[in-house]
Amino acid sequence: MSIQYLKGVGPKMAEKFKRIGVLTALDLIHYYPRDWEDRRQLVPLKLARVQEAMTFQGEVESVSFSDTRTGLAVVSVLIKDGSGTLSCRWMRKKSFKYDVLNSFRKEFQPGVKLIVHGKV
């Protein structure tokens, strides 16, 4: 059976699947992730290693929002745990239709516990 007849797929999504070689439901079942990251291991902030992807848990200490001249919206969050602090940064291209980082404004408040993952 063609993948386009699966609920929620349709012709447009089927075309995207076709580009990666998925034509049938059986192909989709046998399409495995290219790689996998184990984000369950939380690392103390003092053990952060530059250029490595790691997962940290901390409490939001401060938050700032800014815009760049090149049209990016930037959120900077300083998190801390008992061992140290870490500055985290998210960037998105600004949109005239909606605030792309609006949910961050609501969620990132001082005192909120946060788990982050990314390259240090």
Side-chain angles (χ1 to χ4, degrees):
M1 175 172 93
S2 173
I3 195 168
Q4 93 173 36
Y5 299 110
L6 291 175
K7 183 176 176 146
V9 176
K12 286 184 180 179
M13 187 61 75
E15 189 58 39
K16 291 179 183 179
F17 276 118
K18 183 178 179 182
R19 286 187 227 141
I20 60 171
V22 176
L23 303 173
T24 67
L26 187 61
D27 291 340
L28 185 60
I29 290 170
H30 291 288
Y31 185 78
Y32 301 106
R34 179 184 61 219
D35 56 6
W36 181 78
E37 294 178 341
D38 184 2
R39 297 182 179 187
R40 296 174 296 176
Q41 185 66 38
L42 298 176
V43 179
L45 293 175
K46 71 177 181 180
L47 297 179
R49 292 187 298 274
V50 177
Q51 296 298 318
E52 284 194 40
M54 305 176 99
T55 305
F56 305 98
Q57 180 176 359
E59 184 177 307
V60 175
E61 190 170 276
S62 65
V63 183
S64 67
F65 296 88
S66 61
D67 298 327
T68 68
R69 285 184 268 158
T70 58
L72 291 176
V74 180
V75 178
S76 297
V77 176
L78 189 65
I79 64 170
K80 64 179 180 176
D81 67 3
S83 68
T85 59
L86 180 70
S87 177
C88 303
R89 194 167 292 140
W90 290 266
M91 293 174 263
R92 292 278 190 259
K93 183 144 179 75
K94 287 176 63 176
S95 169
F96 294 106
K97 293 182 180 179
Y98 58 92
D99 184 357
V100 293
L101 298 172
N102 188 41
S103 64
F104 284 26
R105 292 182 198 281
K106 295 175 186 172
E107 300 295 327
F108 292 172
Q109 299 294 323
V112 169
K113 296 256 190 237
L114 189 64
I115 295 176
V116 294
H117 176 85
K119 194 179 221 182
V120 178

